[in-house]
Amino acid sequence: MEASVLLVSLAIFAQLVAPSLAVPSGNGDGYTINGQVKIQGAQSINLLGKISNVKVILNGGEKVTFVRPDGFFSFHGVPAGTHLIEVAALGYFFSPVRVDISARNPGKVQAALTETRRSLNELVLEPLREEYYYEKREPFSILSLLKSPMGLMVGFMLVAVFLLPKLMENLDPEEMQRAQEQMRSQGVPSLANLLPRN
């Protein structure tokens, strides 16, 4: 007998604690939306501080609530219709949830993630991915230094200083003399020659 009473009381407690989608408010002005935010590994002390700073936003800021330390949240006095629930948590990206509360069939509620279009039986929200706001600094490498514009300029100058004189030594002396004579005959163009005359 005591075991059955214990089971019944546990079942009632589980119904109360379970993250149901929406239940009518006691005072008759709308519904109460209950849900839970779950972040993996939130049992550690560092993440418990993070979960207490998580905001749940209804309809773009119409109503805002914070998540309790156990991860649950509630919105009271929500009218029937279509609503959007968003979760703002630093370092995590959550898919917004579309919640439809039926006015014709009281208690009929449908919820679906907008990113994946997956319907939810219980309003348990988990992050899709972690977000990183800063780029990680790359370690120093010689290759990245050589790929930079300054590295390319220095490399070109080294090639010009060391390889061009060696190339000039390997030229045929007759060809070198012909190239010098051709440059002398053309002369150095002056600025006056380059400007158009009227």
CSV table of all heavy atoms in Angstrom, one decimal, residues 129-193:
chain,number,residue,atom,x,y,z
A,129,ARG,N,25.1,24.8,-31.2
A,129,ARG,CA,26.6,24.8,-31.3
A,129,ARG,C,27.1,25.9,-30.3
A,129,ARG,O,26.4,26.8,-29.9
A,129,ARG,CB,27.0,25.1,-32.7
A,129,ARG,CG,26.6,26.5,-33.2
A,129,ARG,CD,27.1,26.8,-34.6
A,129,ARG,NE,26.6,28.0,-35.1
A,129,ARG,CZ,25.5,28.3,-35.7
A,129,ARG,NH1,24.7,27.2,-36.0
A,129,ARG,NH2,25.1,29.5,-36.1
A,130,GLU,N,28.4,25.8,-30.1
A,130,GLU,CA,29.0,26.9,-29.3
A,130,GLU,C,29.5,28.0,-30.3
A,130,GLU,O,29.8,27.7,-31.4
A,130,GLU,CB,30.3,26.3,-28.6
A,130,GLU,CG,29.9,25.4,-27.4
A,130,GLU,CD,31.1,25.0,-26.6
A,130,GLU,OE1,32.0,25.9,-26.4
A,130,GLU,OE2,31.2,23.9,-26.1
A,131,GLU,N,29.5,29.2,-29.7
A,131,GLU,CA,29.9,30.3,-30.5
A,131,GLU,C,31.2,30.9,-30.0
A,131,GLU,O,31.3,31.0,-28.8
A,131,GLU,CB,28.8,31.4,-30.5
A,131,GLU,CG,27.6,31.1,-31.4
A,131,GLU,CD,26.6,32.2,-31.5
A,131,GLU,OE1,26.5,33.0,-30.5
A,131,GLU,OE2,26.0,32.3,-32.5
A,132,TYR,N,32.1,31.2,-30.9
A,132,TYR,CA,33.3,31.9,-30.5
A,132,TYR,C,33.3,33.3,-31.0
A,132,TYR,O,33.2,33.5,-32.2
A,132,TYR,CB,34.5,31.1,-31.0
A,132,TYR,CG,34.6,29.7,-30.5
A,132,TYR,CD1,34.1,28.6,-31.3
A,132,TYR,CD2,35.0,29.4,-29.2
A,132,TYR,CE1,34.1,27.3,-30.9
A,132,TYR,CE2,35.0,28.1,-28.8
A,132,TYR,CZ,34.6,27.1,-29.6
A,132,TYR,OH,34.6,25.8,-29.1
A,133,TYR,N,33.5,34.2,-30.1
A,133,TYR,CA,33.4,35.6,-30.5
A,133,TYR,C,34.8,36.2,-30.9
A,133,TYR,O,34.8,37.3,-31.5
A,133,TYR,CB,32.8,36.5,-29.3
A,133,TYR,CG,31.5,36.0,-29.0
A,133,TYR,CD1,31.2,35.2,-27.8
A,133,TYR,CD2,30.4,36.3,-29.8
A,133,TYR,CE1,29.9,34.8,-27.5
A,133,TYR,CE2,29.1,35.9,-29.5
A,133,TYR,CZ,28.9,35.2,-28.4
A,133,TYR,OH,27.6,34.7,-28.1
A,134,TYR,N,35.9,35.6,-30.6
A,134,TYR,CA,37.2,36.1,-30.9
A,134,TYR,C,37.9,35.1,-31.7
A,134,TYR,O,37.8,33.9,-31.5
A,134,TYR,CB,38.0,36.4,-29.6
A,134,TYR,CG,37.3,37.4,-28.7
A,134,TYR,CD1,36.6,37.0,-27.6
A,134,TYR,CD2,37.3,38.7,-29.0
A,134,TYR,CE1,36.0,37.9,-26.7
A,134,TYR,CE2,36.7,39.7,-28.2
A,134,TYR,CZ,36.0,39.2,-27.1
A,134,TYR,OH,35.4,40.1,-26.3
A,135,GLU,N,38.7,35.5,-32.6
A,135,GLU,CA,39.6,34.6,-33.4
A,135,GLU,C,40.8,34.2,-32.5
A,135,GLU,O,41.3,35.0,-31.8
A,135,GLU,CB,40.1,35.3,-34.6
A,135,GLU,CG,39.1,35.4,-35.8
A,135,GLU,CD,39.8,36.0,-37.0
A,135,GLU,OE1,41.0,35.7,-37.3
A,135,GLU,OE2,39.1,36.7,-37.7
A,136,LYS,N,41.1,32.9,-32.6
A,136,LYS,CA,42.3,32.4,-31.9
A,136,LYS,C,43.5,32.9,-32.6
A,136,LYS,O,43.6,32.9,-33.8
A,136,LYS,CB,42.2,30.9,-31.8
A,136,LYS,CG,41.1,30.4,-30.9
A,136,LYS,CD,41.2,28.9,-30.8
A,136,LYS,CE,40.1,28.5,-29.9
A,136,LYS,NZ,40.0,27.0,-29.8
A,137,ARG,N,44.5,33.4,-31.8
A,137,ARG,CA,45.7,33.9,-32.4
A,137,ARG,C,46.5,32.7,-33.0
A,137,ARG,O,46.7,31.7,-32.3
A,137,ARG,CB,46.5,34.6,-31.3
A,137,ARG,CG,47.7,35.4,-31.9
A,137,ARG,CD,48.3,36.1,-30.8
A,137,ARG,NE,48.9,37.3,-31.3
A,137,ARG,CZ,49.4,38.3,-30.6
A,137,ARG,NH1,49.3,38.2,-29.3
A,137,ARG,NH2,49.9,39.3,-31.2
A,138,GLU,N,47.0,32.9,-34.2
A,138,GLU,CA,47.8,31.9,-34.8
A,138,GLU,C,49.2,32.0,-34.2
A,138,GLU,O,49.7,33.0,-34.0
A,138,GLU,CB,47.9,32.1,-36.3
A,138,GLU,CG,46.5,31.8,-37.0
A,138,GLU,CD,46.7,32.0,-38.5
A,138,GLU,OE1,47.8,31.9,-39.0
A,138,GLU,OE2,45.6,32.1,-39.1
A,139,PRO,N,49.8,30.8,-34.1
A,139,PRO,CA,51.2,30.8,-33.6
A,139,PRO,C,52.2,31.4,-34.7
A,139,PRO,O,51.9,31.3,-35.9
A,139,PRO,CB,51.5,29.4,-33.3
A,139,PRO,CG,50.6,28.6,-34.1
A,139,PRO,CD,49.3,29.4,-34.2
A,140,PHE,N,53.3,31.8,-34.2
A,140,PHE,CA,54.3,32.4,-35.2
A,140,PHE,C,54.9,31.3,-36.1
A,140,PHE,O,55.2,30.2,-35.6
A,140,PHE,CB,55.5,33.1,-34.4
A,140,PHE,CG,56.5,33.6,-35.3
A,140,PHE,CD1,56.4,34.7,-36.0
A,140,PHE,CD2,57.7,32.9,-35.4
A,140,PHE,CE1,57.4,35.2,-36.8
A,140,PHE,CE2,58.7,33.3,-36.3
A,140,PHE,CZ,58.5,34.5,-37.0
A,141,SER,N,55.0,31.6,-37.4
A,141,SER,CA,55.6,30.7,-38.3
A,141,SER,C,56.3,31.4,-39.3
A,141,SER,O,55.9,32.5,-39.8
A,141,SER,CB,54.5,29.7,-38.9
A,141,SER,OG,53.8,30.4,-39.9
A,142,ILE,N,57.4,30.9,-39.8
A,142,ILE,CA,58.3,31.5,-40.8
A,142,ILE,C,57.5,31.6,-42.1
A,142,ILE,O,57.6,32.6,-42.8
A,142,ILE,CB,59.6,30.8,-41.0
A,142,ILE,CG1,60.4,30.8,-39.7
A,142,ILE,CG2,60.4,31.3,-42.1
A,142,ILE,CD1,60.9,32.1,-39.3
A,143,LEU,N,56.7,30.6,-42.4
A,143,LEU,CA,56.0,30.5,-43.7
A,143,LEU,C,55.0,31.7,-43.8
A,143,LEU,O,54.9,32.3,-44.8
A,143,LEU,CB,55.3,29.2,-43.8
A,143,LEU,CG,54.7,28.9,-45.2
A,143,LEU,CD1,55.7,28.9,-46.2
A,143,LEU,CD2,53.9,27.6,-45.1
A,144,SER,N,54.3,32.0,-42.7
A,144,SER,CA,53.4,33.1,-42.7
A,144,SER,C,54.1,34.4,-42.9
A,144,SER,O,53.6,35.4,-43.5
A,144,SER,CB,52.5,33.1,-41.5
A,144,SER,OG,53.3,33.4,-40.3
A,145,LEU,N,55.3,34.5,-42.3
A,145,LEU,CA,56.1,35.7,-42.5
A,145,LEU,C,56.6,35.9,-44.0
A,145,LEU,O,56.5,37.0,-44.5
A,145,LEU,CB,57.3,35.7,-41.6
A,145,LEU,CG,58.2,36.9,-41.5
A,145,LEU,CD1,57.5,38.1,-41.0
A,145,LEU,CD2,59.5,36.7,-40.7
A,146,LEU,N,56.9,34.8,-44.6
A,146,LEU,CA,57.3,34.9,-46.0
A,146,LEU,C,56.2,35.2,-46.9
A,146,LEU,O,56.4,35.7,-48.0
A,146,LEU,CB,58.0,33.6,-46.4
A,146,LEU,CG,59.4,33.3,-45.7
A,146,LEU,CD1,59.9,31.9,-46.1
A,146,LEU,CD2,60.4,34.4,-46.0
A,147,LYS,N,55.0,34.8,-46.6
A,147,LYS,CA,53.8,35.0,-47.4
A,147,LYS,C,53.3,36.4,-47.3
A,147,LYS,O,52.5,36.9,-48.1
A,147,LYS,CB,52.7,34.0,-47.0
A,147,LYS,CG,52.9,32.6,-47.5
A,147,LYS,CD,51.7,31.8,-47.0
A,147,LYS,CE,51.8,30.4,-47.4
A,147,LYS,NZ,50.6,29.6,-47.0
A,148,SER,N,53.7,37.1,-46.3
A,148,SER,CA,53.2,38.5,-46.1
A,148,SER,C,53.8,39.4,-47.2
A,148,SER,O,54.8,39.1,-47.8
A,148,SER,CB,53.6,39.0,-44.7
A,148,SER,OG,55.0,39.3,-44.7
A,149,PRO,N,53.1,40.5,-47.5
A,149,PRO,CA,53.7,41.5,-48.5
A,149,PRO,C,55.1,41.9,-48.3
A,149,PRO,O,55.9,42.1,-49.2
A,149,PRO,CB,52.7,42.6,-48.5
A,149,PRO,CG,51.4,42.0,-48.0
A,149,PRO,CD,51.8,41.0,-47.0
A,150,MET,N,55.4,42.2,-47.0
A,150,MET,CA,56.7,42.7,-46.7
A,150,MET,C,57.7,41.6,-46.9
A,150,MET,O,58.8,41.8,-47.4
A,150,MET,CB,56.8,43.1,-45.2
A,150,MET,CG,58.1,43.8,-44.8
A,150,MET,SD,58.4,45.2,-45.7
A,150,MET,CE,57.5,46.4,-44.9
A,151,GLY,N,57.4,40.3,-46.6
A,151,GLY,CA,58.3,39.2,-46.9
A,151,GLY,C,58.5,39.0,-48.3
A,151,GLY,O,59.6,38.7,-48.8
A,152,LEU,N,57.5,39.2,-49.2
A,152,LEU,CA,57.6,39.0,-50.6
A,152,LEU,C,58.5,40.1,-51.2
A,152,LEU,O,59.4,39.9,-52.0
A,152,LEU,CB,56.3,39.1,-51.3
A,152,LEU,CG,55.4,37.9,-51.0
A,152,LEU,CD1,54.0,38.1,-51.6
A,152,LEU,CD2,56.0,36.6,-51.6
A,153,MET,N,58.4,41.3,-50.7
A,153,MET,CA,59.3,42.4,-51.1
A,153,MET,C,60.7,42.2,-50.8
A,153,MET,O,61.6,42.4,-51.6
A,153,MET,CB,58.8,43.8,-50.5
A,153,MET,CG,57.6,44.3,-51.2
A,153,MET,SD,56.9,45.8,-50.6
A,153,MET,CE,58.0,46.5,-49.5
A,154,VAL,N,61.0,41.7,-49.5
A,154,VAL,CA,62.3,41.4,-49.1
A,154,VAL,C,62.9,40.3,-50.0
A,154,VAL,O,64.1,40.3,-50.4
A,154,VAL,CB,62.4,41.1,-47.6
A,154,VAL,CG1,63.7,40.5,-47.2
A,154,VAL,CG2,62.1,42.3,-46.8
A,155,GLY,N,62.1,39.3,-50.3
A,155,GLY,CA,62.6,38.2,-51.1
A,155,GLY,C,62.9,38.6,-52.5
A,155,GLY,O,63.9,38.2,-53.1
A,156,PHE,N,62.1,39.5,-53.1
A,156,PHE,CA,62.4,40.0,-54.4
A,156,PHE,C,63.7,40.8,-54.4
A,156,PHE,O,64.5,40.7,-55.3
A,156,PHE,CB,61.2,40.8,-54.9
A,156,PHE,CG,61.5,41.4,-56.3
A,156,PHE,CD1,61.4,40.7,-57.4
A,156,PHE,CD2,61.8,42.8,-56.4
A,156,PHE,CE1,61.7,41.2,-58.6
A,156,PHE,CE2,62.0,43.3,-57.6
A,156,PHE,CZ,62.0,42.5,-58.8
A,157,MET,N,63.9,41.6,-53.4
A,157,MET,CA,65.1,42.4,-53.3
A,157,MET,C,66.3,41.5,-53.2
A,157,MET,O,67.4,41.8,-53.8
A,157,MET,CB,65.0,43.4,-52.1
A,157,MET,CG,64.0,44.5,-52.3
A,157,MET,SD,64.1,45.4,-53.8
A,157,MET,CE,65.6,46.4,-53.4
A,158,LEU,N,66.2,40.5,-52.4
A,158,LEU,CA,67.4,39.6,-52.3
A,158,LEU,C,67.7,38.9,-53.6
A,158,LEU,O,68.9,38.7,-54.0
A,158,LEU,CB,67.1,38.5,-51.2
A,158,LEU,CG,67.1,39.0,-49.7
A,158,LEU,CD1,66.7,37.9,-48.8
A,158,LEU,CD2,68.5,39.5,-49.4
A,159,VAL,N,66.7,38.5,-54.3
A,159,VAL,CA,66.9,37.9,-55.6
A,159,VAL,C,67.5,38.9,-56.6
A,159,VAL,O,68.5,38.6,-57.3
A,159,VAL,CB,65.5,37.4,-56.2
A,159,VAL,CG1,65.6,37.1,-57.7
A,159,VAL,CG2,65.0,36.2,-55.5
A,160,ALA,N,67.1,40.2,-56.5
A,160,ALA,CA,67.6,41.2,-57.4
A,160,ALA,C,69.1,41.5,-57.0
A,160,ALA,O,70.0,41.7,-57.9
A,160,ALA,CB,66.8,42.5,-57.3
A,161,VAL,N,69.4,41.5,-55.7
A,161,VAL,CA,70.8,41.9,-55.3
A,161,VAL,C,71.8,40.7,-55.6
A,161,VAL,O,72.9,41.0,-56.1
A,161,VAL,CB,70.8,42.2,-53.8
A,161,VAL,CG1,72.2,42.3,-53.3
A,161,VAL,CG2,70.1,43.6,-53.6
A,162,PHE,N,71.4,39.5,-55.4
A,162,PHE,CA,72.3,38.4,-55.5
A,162,PHE,C,72.3,37.7,-56.9
A,162,PHE,O,73.3,37.2,-57.4
A,162,PHE,CB,72.1,37.4,-54.4
A,162,PHE,CG,72.5,37.9,-53.1
A,162,PHE,CD1,71.5,38.2,-52.1
A,162,PHE,CD2,73.8,38.1,-52.7
A,162,PHE,CE1,71.9,38.6,-50.8
A,162,PHE,CE2,74.2,38.6,-51.5
A,162,PHE,CZ,73.2,38.9,-50.5
A,163,LEU,N,71.1,37.5,-57.5
A,163,LEU,CA,71.0,36.7,-58.7
A,163,LEU,C,71.2,37.6,-60.0
A,163,LEU,O,71.8,37.1,-61.0
A,163,LEU,CB,69.7,36.0,-58.8
A,163,LEU,CG,69.5,34.9,-57.8
A,163,LEU,CD1,68.1,34.2,-58.0
A,163,LEU,CD2,70.6,33.8,-58.0
A,164,LEU,N,70.8,38.8,-60.0
A,164,LEU,CA,71.0,39.6,-61.2
A,164,LEU,C,72.4,39.8,-61.6
A,164,LEU,O,72.8,39.7,-62.8
A,164,LEU,CB,70.2,40.9,-61.1
A,164,LEU,CG,68.7,40.8,-61.3
A,164,LEU,CD1,68.0,42.2,-61.1
A,164,LEU,CD2,68.3,40.2,-62.6
A,165,PRO,N,73.3,40.1,-60.7
A,165,PRO,CA,74.7,40.3,-61.1
A,165,PRO,C,75.3,39.0,-61.7
A,165,PRO,O,76.1,39.0,-62.7
A,165,PRO,CB,75.5,40.7,-59.8
A,165,PRO,CG,74.4,41.3,-59.0
A,165,PRO,CD,73.2,40.6,-59.3
A,166,LYS,N,74.9,37.8,-61.2
A,166,LYS,CA,75.4,36.6,-61.7
A,166,LYS,C,74.8,36.3,-63.1
A,166,LYS,O,75.5,35.8,-63.9
A,166,LYS,CB,75.0,35.4,-60.8
A,166,LYS,CG,75.8,35.5,-59.5
A,166,LYS,CD,75.5,34.3,-58.6
A,166,LYS,CE,76.3,34.4,-57.3
A,166,LYS,NZ,76.3,33.2,-56.5
A,167,LEU,N,73.6,36.7,-63.3
A,167,LEU,CA,73.0,36.6,-64.7
A,167,LEU,C,73.7,37.5,-65.7
A,167,LEU,O,73.9,37.2,-66.8
A,167,LEU,CB,71.5,36.9,-64.6
A,167,LEU,CG,70.6,35.9,-64.0
A,167,LEU,CD1,69.2,36.4,-63.9
A,167,LEU,CD2,70.6,34.6,-64.7
A,168,MET,N,74.1,38.7,-65.2
A,168,MET,CA,74.8,39.6,-66.1
A,168,MET,C,76.2,39.1,-66.4
A,168,MET,O,76.6,39.3,-67.5
A,168,MET,CB,74.9,41.0,-65.4
A,168,MET,CG,73.6,41.7,-65.1
A,168,MET,SD,72.7,42.0,-66.6
A,168,MET,CE,73.4,43.5,-67.2
A,169,GLU,N,76.8,38.4,-65.5
A,169,GLU,CA,78.1,37.8,-65.8
A,169,GLU,C,78.0,36.7,-66.9
A,169,GLU,O,79.0,36.6,-67.7
A,169,GLU,CB,78.7,37.2,-64.5
A,169,GLU,CG,79.2,38.2,-63.5
A,169,GLU,CD,79.6,37.5,-62.2
A,169,GLU,OE1,79.6,36.3,-62.2
A,169,GLU,OE2,79.9,38.2,-61.3
A,170,ASN,N,76.9,36.0,-66.9
A,170,ASN,CA,76.8,34.9,-67.9
A,170,ASN,C,76.4,35.4,-69.3
A,170,ASN,O,76.3,34.6,-70.2
A,170,ASN,CB,75.8,33.9,-67.4
A,170,ASN,CG,76.3,33.2,-66.1
A,170,ASN,OD1,77.5,33.1,-65.9
A,170,ASN,ND2,75.3,32.7,-65.3
A,171,LEU,N,76.1,36.7,-69.4
A,171,LEU,CA,75.7,37.2,-70.7
A,171,LEU,C,76.9,37.2,-71.7
A,171,LEU,O,78.0,37.5,-71.2
A,171,LEU,CB,75.1,38.6,-70.6
A,171,LEU,CG,73.6,38.7,-70.3
A,171,LEU,CD1,73.2,40.1,-70.2
A,171,LEU,CD2,72.8,38.0,-71.4
A,172,ASP,N,76.6,37.1,-72.9
A,172,ASP,CA,77.7,37.2,-73.9
A,172,ASP,C,78.1,38.6,-74.0
A,172,ASP,O,77.3,39.5,-74.1
A,172,ASP,CB,77.1,36.7,-75.3
A,172,ASP,CG,78.1,36.6,-76.4
A,172,ASP,OD1,79.3,36.4,-76.0
A,172,ASP,OD2,77.7,36.8,-77.5
A,173,PRO,N,79.5,38.9,-74.0
A,173,PRO,CA,80.0,40.3,-74.0
A,173,PRO,C,79.5,41.1,-75.2
A,173,PRO,O,79.2,42.3,-75.1
A,173,PRO,CB,81.5,40.1,-74.0
A,173,PRO,CG,81.8,38.7,-73.6
A,173,PRO,CD,80.6,37.9,-73.8
A,174,GLU,N,79.4,40.4,-76.4
A,174,GLU,CA,79.0,41.1,-77.6
A,174,GLU,C,77.5,41.6,-77.4
A,174,GLU,O,77.1,42.7,-77.8
A,174,GLU,CB,79.1,40.2,-78.8
A,174,GLU,CG,80.5,40.0,-79.2
A,174,GLU,CD,80.7,39.0,-80.3
A,174,GLU,OE1,79.6,38.6,-80.9
A,174,GLU,OE2,81.8,38.6,-80.6
A,175,GLU,N,76.6,40.7,-76.9
A,175,GLU,CA,75.2,41.0,-76.7
A,175,GLU,C,75.1,42.1,-75.7
A,175,GLU,O,74.3,43.0,-75.8
A,175,GLU,CB,74.4,39.8,-76.2
A,175,GLU,CG,73.7,39.1,-77.3
A,175,GLU,CD,72.8,38.0,-76.7
A,175,GLU,OE1,71.9,38.3,-75.9
A,175,GLU,OE2,73.0,36.9,-77.1
A,176,MET,N,75.9,42.1,-74.6
A,176,MET,CA,75.9,43.2,-73.6
A,176,MET,C,76.3,44.5,-74.2
A,176,MET,O,75.6,45.5,-73.9
A,176,MET,CB,76.9,42.8,-72.5
A,176,MET,CG,77.0,43.8,-71.4
A,176,MET,SD,75.6,43.6,-70.3
A,176,MET,CE,76.5,43.5,-68.8
A,177,GLN,N,77.3,44.5,-75.1
A,177,GLN,CA,77.7,45.7,-75.8
A,177,GLN,C,76.6,46.3,-76.7
A,177,GLN,O,76.4,47.5,-76.7
A,177,GLN,CB,79.0,45.5,-76.5
A,177,GLN,CG,79.8,46.7,-76.7
A,177,GLN,CD,81.2,46.3,-77.3
A,177,GLN,OE1,81.4,45.2,-77.8
A,177,GLN,NE2,82.2,47.2,-77.1
A,178,ARG,N,76.0,45.4,-77.4
A,178,ARG,CA,74.9,45.8,-78.3
A,178,ARG,C,73.7,46.4,-77.5
A,178,ARG,O,73.1,47.4,-77.9
A,178,ARG,CB,74.4,44.6,-79.1
A,178,ARG,CG,74.7,44.7,-80.5
A,178,ARG,CD,74.1,43.6,-81.4
A,178,ARG,NE,74.9,42.4,-81.3
A,178,ARG,CZ,74.5,41.1,-81.2
A,178,ARG,NH1,73.2,40.9,-81.2
A,178,ARG,NH2,75.4,40.1,-81.2
A,179,ALA,N,73.4,45.8,-76.4
A,179,ALA,CA,72.3,46.3,-75.5
A,179,ALA,C,72.6,47.7,-75.0
A,179,ALA,O,71.8,48.6,-75.0
A,179,ALA,CB,72.0,45.3,-74.4
A,180,GLN,N,73.9,47.9,-74.6
A,180,GLN,CA,74.3,49.2,-74.1
A,180,GLN,C,74.3,50.3,-75.2
A,180,GLN,O,73.8,51.4,-75.0
A,180,GLN,CB,75.7,49.1,-73.5
A,180,GLN,CG,75.8,48.4,-72.2
A,180,GLN,CD,77.2,48.3,-71.6
A,180,GLN,OE1,78.2,48.5,-72.3
A,180,GLN,NE2,77.2,47.8,-70.4
A,181,GLU,N,74.7,49.9,-76.4
A,181,GLU,CA,74.7,50.9,-77.5
A,181,GLU,C,73.3,51.2,-77.9
A,181,GLU,O,72.9,52.4,-78.2
A,181,GLU,CB,75.4,50.3,-78.7
A,181,GLU,CG,76.9,50.2,-78.6
A,181,GLU,CD,77.6,49.5,-79.8
A,181,GLU,OE1,76.9,49.2,-80.7
A,181,GLU,OE2,78.8,49.3,-79.7
A,182,GLN,N,72.4,50.2,-77.8
A,182,GLN,CA,71.0,50.5,-78.2
A,182,GLN,C,70.4,51.4,-77.2
A,182,GLN,O,69.6,52.3,-77.5
A,182,GLN,CB,70.2,49.2,-78.2
A,182,GLN,CG,68.9,49.3,-78.9
A,182,GLN,CD,68.3,47.9,-79.0
A,182,GLN,OE1,68.6,47.0,-78.3
A,182,GLN,NE2,67.3,47.7,-80.0
A,183,MET,N,70.7,51.3,-75.9
A,183,MET,CA,70.2,52.2,-74.9
A,183,MET,C,70.7,53.6,-75.0
A,183,MET,O,70.0,54.6,-74.9
A,183,MET,CB,70.5,51.7,-73.5
A,183,MET,CG,69.7,50.4,-73.1
A,183,MET,SD,70.2,49.8,-71.5
A,183,MET,CE,69.7,51.0,-70.4
A,184,ARG,N,72.0,53.7,-75.4
A,184,ARG,CA,72.6,55.0,-75.7
A,184,ARG,C,71.9,55.7,-76.8
A,184,ARG,O,71.7,56.9,-76.8
A,184,ARG,CB,74.1,54.9,-75.9
A,184,ARG,CG,74.9,54.7,-74.6
A,184,ARG,CD,76.4,54.8,-74.9
A,184,ARG,NE,77.0,54.1,-73.8
A,184,ARG,CZ,77.9,53.1,-73.9
A,184,ARG,NH1,78.2,52.7,-75.1
A,184,ARG,NH2,78.5,52.5,-72.9
A,185,SER,N,71.7,55.0,-77.9
A,185,SER,CA,71.1,55.6,-79.1
A,185,SER,C,69.7,56.1,-78.9
A,185,SER,O,69.2,57.1,-79.4
A,185,SER,CB,71.1,54.6,-80.3
A,185,SER,OG,70.2,53.5,-80.0
A,186,GLN,N,68.9,55.4,-78.0
A,186,GLN,CA,67.6,55.8,-77.7
A,186,GLN,C,67.6,57.0,-76.8
A,186,GLN,O,66.7,57.8,-76.9
A,186,GLN,CB,66.8,54.7,-77.1
A,186,GLN,CG,66.4,53.6,-78.1
A,186,GLN,CD,65.7,52.4,-77.4
A,186,GLN,OE1,65.5,52.4,-76.2
A,186,GLN,NE2,65.2,51.5,-78.2
A,187,GLY,N,68.6,57.0,-75.9
A,187,GLY,CA,68.7,58.1,-75.0
A,187,GLY,C,67.7,58.0,-73.9
A,187,GLY,O,66.7,57.2,-73.9
A,188,VAL,N,67.9,58.8,-72.9
A,188,VAL,CA,66.9,58.8,-71.8
A,188,VAL,C,65.8,59.7,-72.1
A,188,VAL,O,66.0,60.9,-72.4
A,188,VAL,CB,67.7,59.2,-70.5
A,188,VAL,CG1,66.7,59.3,-69.3
A,188,VAL,CG2,68.8,58.4,-70.2
A,189,PRO,N,64.6,59.2,-72.1
A,189,PRO,CA,63.4,60.1,-72.4
A,189,PRO,C,63.3,61.2,-71.4
A,189,PRO,O,63.3,60.9,-70.2
A,189,PRO,CB,62.2,59.2,-72.5
A,189,PRO,CG,62.6,58.0,-71.6
A,189,PRO,CD,64.1,57.9,-71.7
A,190,SER,N,63.1,62.4,-71.8
A,190,SER,CA,62.9,63.5,-70.9
A,190,SER,C,61.4,63.7,-70.7
A,190,SER,O,60.6,63.3,-71.5
A,190,SER,CB,63.6,64.8,-71.4
A,190,SER,OG,62.9,65.2,-72.6
A,191,LEU,N,61.1,64.5,-69.7
A,191,LEU,CA,59.7,64.7,-69.4
A,191,LEU,C,59.1,65.6,-70.5
A,191,LEU,O,57.9,65.4,-70.8
A,191,LEU,CB,59.6,65.4,-68.1
A,191,LEU,CG,58.2,65.7,-67.5
A,191,LEU,CD1,57.5,64.3,-67.3
A,191,LEU,CD2,58.2,66.4,-66.2
A,192,ALA,N,59.8,66.5,-71.1
A,192,ALA,CA,59.3,67.3,-72.2
A,192,ALA,C,58.9,66.5,-73.4
A,192,ALA,O,57.9,66.8,-74.1
A,192,ALA,CB,60.4,68.3,-72.6
A,193,ASN,N,59.6,65.4,-73.7
A,193,ASN,CA,59.3,64.6,-74.8
A,193,ASN,C,58.0,63.7,-74.6
A,193,ASN,O,57.3,63.4,-75.5
A,193,ASN,CB,60.4,63.6,-75.1
A,193,ASN,CG,61.7,64.3,-75.6
A,193,ASN,OD1,61.6,65.5,-76.1
A,193,ASN,ND2,62.8,63.7,-75.5
